[in-house]
Amino acid sequence: MQYVSTVLNSCLISGIIALLSVANVSAIESINLSAQTISADNWTLYNSKLTLHHLGEASPQISLVAASLALPPPFDKIQLINIRCQQFYWQENDLNCAQGIGDIVGATFPAITFNFTLKVQDGEGSLQIKQLSLFGGQLEIDANETQGKWQLKLKTSHIDVSKLSTLLTVPALTVQQGNISMKIELDGKGENIQELLLTAILNKLSVQDQQGSIATEDLVVKTELKASQTEGAWQWQLNSKILAGSLYVDPIYLAITDAEPITLAAHGFWNPAHKKININTVKLEHTNIFQLQLDAGILNYQDTIELQTAQLALKIPELQAVSATYLTPFLAASNFAGISLMGELTADLVLQNNGLTSMAINFEHLMLHDTHQQLQINDAEGQFNWAVGAEQQQASYITWQQLRVKAIPFAKGRLDFSSYARQLKLLQPANLQVLDGILSIKEFSFVAVQGDDVEVHLEAFLHELSLTRLTDALGWPPVTGKISGYIPSVRYQNKTIQLDGQLKMQVFGGEVIIRKLASAGLFSALPQLYTDIEFDNLDLLAITKRFELGNIEGRLSGFALNVYLENWQPVTFYTWLGTPESDSGMHKISQKAVKNIASIGGASAADAISRSFLGLFDSFYYQKLGFGCYLYQGVCQMMGVAAAEQGFYIIKGGAWIPRIEVVGYNPRMDWDILVQRLARVVNTGQVVIE
């Protein structure tokens, strides 16, 4: 009945116009008619009022006022009300509104008035909306429909993003400024979209979240999206580029320029029915800094988001730029602060089911610089291969021209190894030149177990490492000699490295043996070291000549037990150095050595020596000498070779003449003061009488 009513009304209006055009209607100015619906090919006006004007003229005109205009699918999502047409034409399936005005009312914004034209004729319909003011900008809509096929074009210019954001639900994000201009073209049939084209320019965007972890300033972004649907599957292509502005995503800050924009290009297929996205290629590039490409990716979002497969390729032409921009901010608050990189790097990664299954990293001309001097690498190259399973493992290697770990320099070297799962293993023995000697690594393996614990197996030999080079590198008093030793294994537990076996140093005509060596936090800001040391039959004359203490003839043995160092400074130990019982050789000491030993022992001992007949002889004989210290809470509890009436003997006189004895009168001494006295004697060779 509604369609019949519409046809009858159309015929009635046409008849009235025809009748009045031949009659004498000079006395009639206008006629008003009402229609519940006026339709043409599913374009429908509801609750309309038509007014016939200029009835006495050759071409009478019709104007219209309607409560609303309903559009055919899929345009029916657009709700248009309060329709006014100054020039209106209507017949069966023929409708024309040449100068229309209407309103759009939304739930979150007030009514917006717009101008439009509407034309429906011979199965074709079109609607054009112009001069629609929206959020400080302009919106234009051009909708066309022909026999079920349709096209929709939207164009916006300079829409204020801060005003637009009031409609969007973006928690904890504040938009200070920005505007967007875009074009959207949709082509489809019935309820289905078949073609999509979107181009947008986001200009001068400045946003910030409440936590201050995300912010942009004057960001300029250009984006283009193309998509087409065939049998329910979408083929899509995306191109986006950040051209200018500043971007901060804690802790990374980027100042983007036209010369070095950030670009994103991607294309693939999307199947909504299967909830799956096939990614042919995604290419992310920060010009002149890095390029990251993803190929053959499958993203499944049925239950959870899962990247089923993907191949990633990373190319970094210069690590220095990446290090300064992307790496340094993350390391700033860590133990690796101060590290910077140079060189070239490429990486290939394979992912399956949200997990990494294999990785191949190649690097050339690698330079690693650390301002804290923890690690230095010069001109390294290599390939690091990793796989999730042992069956996929491949050989890896690294070579370098120079390597420095802490203060220990290594000469040119190479390591060949393999890595899979949480394991790393040396493939063949390596002989590394260090401190004018050789570190020969026979076997090495590393396995990460639960938590932070790891299992380490190391079998290595030390061949005549230079003590002179070692003490110079560590900034210790110079010592001549060689270090050799055998390390059968290394254990790592609770972040502590412990070496089994012992290190032997042939030094000063005797031997120094290091046992129970362990270290915690070796590369942290507070390295800790634990060890026991044994001194066996050292030549005192060689030692005293080296340190310019004055000459002492004889032998020296002793120990340093429960040695604990923090940041390479002693915290506690129990040590003793003295004449061994088996030493039957000459025991002779120079005047200079006596004075220096006396000055170390304290002012009372030094004064007693200065008042004696010391100046009459150049050297003296002694029976034995010895000095011990138990360090605890910054105080050294001192001891000598025997107890004296007051104090303790540091040097006990011999049977031959001239003989000398030195007594220490202060059994407790502040460690820092003792170190200062030792440093003055060792560094200058001068006698200090306090």
Side-chain angles (χ1 to χ4, degrees):
M1 293 296 296
Q2 180 176 340
Y3 173 74
V4 174
S5 173
T6 300
V7 173
L8 290 175
N9 286 336
S10 175
C11 295
L12 177 61
I13 293 171
S14 300
I16 291 173
I17 294 174
L19 177 62
L20 294 176
S21 63
V22 297
N24 184 10
V25 293
S26 58
I28 302 175
E29 296 183 357
S30 64
I31 296 176
N32 294 325
L33 299 174
S34 296
Q36 184 178 0
T37 60
I38 299 176
S39 297
D41 291 329
N42 294 322
W43 300 70
T44 305
L45 291 160
Y46 289 100
N47 299 324
S48 303
K49 179 180 178 181
L50 295 93
T51 302
L52 283 67
H53 301 276
H54 310 298
L55 298 178
E57 299 180 3
S59 300
Q61 297 181 358
I62 303 175
S63 64
L64 174 139
V65 175
S68 63
L69 170 62
L71 309 180
F75 308 140
D76 52 353
K77 305 299 188 297
I78 303 175
Q79 299 296 323
L80 308 178
I81 66 170
N82 198 16
I83 304 301
R84 289 92 72 192
C85 294
Q86 289 185 336
Q87 295 183 9
F88 182 77
Y89 177 79
W90 174 45
Q91 285 187 352
E92 182 182 358
N93 292 325
D94 190 353
L95 190 151
N96 193 327
C97 179
Q99 298 179 12
I101 300 175
D103 295 331
I104 294 180
V105 177
T108 57
F109 56 86
I112 301 173
T113 301
F114 60 90
N115 297 328
F116 75 94
T117 59
L118 173 65
K119 184 176 182 180
V120 181
Q121 186 176 18
D122 298 331
E124 297 182 2
S126 66
L127 171 69
Q128 292 182 336
I129 297 176
K130 297 182 178 180
Q131 298 179 3
L132 197 160
S133 297
L134 184 67
F135 302 119
Q138 295 289 321
L139 170 66
E140 295 183 4
I141 299 176
D142 190 349
N144 295 278
E145 188 258 348
T146 303
Q147 297 179 351
K149 294 183 178 180
W150 54 266
Q151 183 181 66
L152 177 65
K153 296 181 180 179
L154 291 90
K155 179 180 179 182
T156 69
S157 58
H158 305 293
I159 299 294
D160 190 326
V161 180
S162 63
K163 296 179 180 178
L164 180 62
S165 65
T166 59
L167 298 181
L168 306 177
T169 305
V170 184
L173 192 64
T174 302
V175 181
Q176 282 106 14
Q177 68 170 13
N179 64 79
I180 184 170
S181 299
M182 63 180 178
K183 294 180 180 179
I184 300 176
E185 294 185 12
L186 300 172
D187 291 85
K189 184 176 182 180
E191 295 285 344
N192 298 319
I193 301 174
Q194 296 176 328
E195 301 283 343
L196 166 67
L197 173 62
L198 180 148
T199 59
I201 298 179
L202 194 58
N203 193 43
K204 297 292 183 179
L205 179 66
S206 297
V207 303
Q208 183 174 349
D209 69 343
Q210 291 180 354
Q211 291 75 27
S213 58
I214 299 175
T216 69
E217 184 176 0
D218 293 337
L219 208 65
V220 180
V221 184
K222 183 177 181 180
T223 299
E224 181 182 84
L225 174 63
K226 295 180 180 179
S228 60
Q229 181 187 191
T230 303
E231 297 181 355
W234 286 87
Q235 182 177 358
W236 54 270
Q237 181 175 338
L238 173 68
N239 291 281
S240 188
K241 181 180 291 188
I242 304 178
L243 298 169
S246 301
L247 173 63
Y248 175 74
V249 180
D250 188 32
I252 296 174
Y253 172 79
L254 302 175
I256 304 164
T257 64
D258 289 339
E260 294 182 341
I262 297 177
T263 61
L264 175 67
H267 66 91
F269 290 89
W270 171 40
N271 193 322
H274 297 120
K275 295 185 178 181
K276 185 178 293 186
I277 300 176
N278 292 73
I279 305 170
N280 293 343
T281 300
V282 175
K283 185 176 180 181
L284 176 65
E285 182 175 7
H286 192 170
T287 307
N288 299 326
I289 297 181
F290 76 86
Q291 182 184 104
L292 178 64
Q293 183 165 321
L294 183 150
D295 294 316
I298 299 177
L299 184 67
N300 191 323
Y301 59 96
Q302 289 184 354
D303 298 320
T304 59
I305 298 177
E306 181 182 54
L307 188 59
Q308 288 184 328
T309 62
Q311 297 178 7
L312 288 170
L314 174 65
K315 183 177 181 181
I316 302 176
E318 179 47 66
L319 280 166
Q320 186 174 18
V322 170
S323 174
T325 304
Y326 292 96
L327 182 62
T328 300
F330 285 100
L331 301 180
S334 72
N335 294 331
F336 300 99
I339 286 180
S340 60
L341 297 171
M342 298 176 63
E344 304 173 26
L345 183 144
T346 60
D348 295 297
L349 301 91
V350 177
L351 295 91
Q352 288 185 351
N353 301 324
N354 284 347
L356 183 64
T357 60
S358 67
M359 172 173 55
I361 301 175
N362 294 272
F363 51 89
E364 297 180 357
H365 310 298
L366 177 67
M367 310 283 283
L368 187 151
H369 178 71
D370 180 12
T371 56
H372 298 298
Q373 303 296 314
Q374 302 287 333
L375 181 65
Q376 304 284 335
I377 300 175
N378 289 331
D379 199 10
E381 69 173 51
Q383 183 178 68
F384 176 71
N385 295 308
W386 176 89
V388 70
E391 60 278 3
Q392 292 92 24
Q393 64 177 311
Q394 298 183 35
S396 304
Y397 77 93
I398 180 174
T399 67
W400 63 86
Q401 296 300 315
Q402 289 181 320
L403 170 66
R404 183 181 294 270
V405 180
K406 292 292 287 185
I408 309 301
F410 290 78
K412 178 181 178 180
R414 175 185 176 111
L415 294 173
D416 293 273
F417 58 94
S418 66
S419 179
Y420 69 93
R422 303 180 70 184
Q423 304 185 36
L424 186 145
K425 183 178 181 180
L426 194 67
L427 291 178
Q428 59 186 21
N431 295 320
L432 306 180
Q433 298 182 27
V434 55
L435 301 174
D436 295 335
I438 299 293
L439 169 59
S440 181
I441 305 175
K442 185 178 180 181
E443 292 184 3
F444 176 82
S445 64
F446 173 97
V447 180
V449 290
Q450 295 180 354
D452 295 334
D453 285 344
V454 300
E455 294 178 359
V456 178
H457 174 70
L458 171 67
E459 184 178 356
F461 296 87
L462 297 176
H463 302 278
E464 297 189 340
L465 274 62
S466 169
L467 266 173
T468 304
R469 293 283 306 277
L470 177 62
T471 53
D472 180 63
L474 297 177
W476 294 349
V479 178
T480 58
K482 301 290 183 181
I483 304 176
S484 296
Y486 170 59
I487 304 172
S489 67
V490 173
R491 294 194 307 272
Y492 182 92
Q493 190 173 13
N494 297 326
K495 300 183 179 180
T496 299
I497 300 174
Q498 184 171 332
L499 280 70
D500 292 336
Q502 60 187 23
L503 300 179
K504 293 184 178 181
M505 295 182 287
Q506 285 71 45
V507 56
F508 300 127
E511 193 171 61
V512 177
I513 303 172
I514 300 176
R515 297 186 176 93
K516 299 180 182 179
L517 181 62
S519 177
L522 187 60
F523 297 104
S524 69
L526 187 66
Q528 300 167 302
L529 185 71
Y530 313 82
T531 190
D532 286 343
I533 306 174
E534 180 183 337
F535 306 92
D536 185 26
N537 210 34
L538 304 183
D539 185 350
L540 266 171
L541 185 60
I543 296 174
T544 53
K545 281 185 175 180
R546 179 61 181 169
F547 291 100
E548 299 182 359
L549 289 168
N551 295 338
I552 304 177
E553 296 182 45
R555 289 286 168 172
L556 185 71
S557 294
F559 55 81
L561 302 178
N562 301 320
V563 178
Y564 171 47
L565 281 69
E566 284 187 354
N567 199 23
W568 311 110
Q569 299 299 317
V571 175
T572 184
F573 59 75
Y574 171 48
T575 185
W576 169 259
L577 294 170
T579 304
E581 295 296 334
S582 60
D583 182 14
S584 59
M586 180 67 70
H587 294 172
K588 196 173 182 180
I589 184 169
S590 70
Q591 178 188 138
K592 179 180 180 181
V594 171
K595 288 184 177 181
N596 279 328
I597 291 174
S599 68
I600 294 171
S604 299
D607 290 343
I609 291 296
S610 65
R611 293 193 299 269
S612 69
F613 58 94
L614 182 64
L616 300 178
F617 301 95
D618 291 331
S619 60
F620 305 88
Y621 295 97
Y622 69 93
Q623 178 186 355
K624 57 183 177 180
L625 58 78
F627 178 81
C629 169
Y630 172 58
L631 177 64
Y632 181 70
Q633 293 185 347
V635 176
C636 187
Q637 180 67 47
M638 301 171 66
M639 62 201 77
V641 294
E645 185 176 348
Q646 293 181 350
F648 53 90
Y649 286 102
I650 300 174
I651 300 177
K652 186 69 174 174
W656 294 357
I657 298 175
R659 62 192 296 272
I660 190 72
E661 290 183 339
V662 177
V663 178
Y665 294 98
N666 186 1
R668 292 171 59 84
M669 184 176 294
D670 184 272
W671 172 252
D672 292 336
I673 294 176
L674 181 58
V675 170
Q676 291 173 9
R677 292 178 180 179
L678 287 170
R680 284 198 295 265
V681 171
V682 170
N683 292 335
T684 67
Q686 298 177 352
V687 179
V688 178
I689 306 297
E690 297 182 356

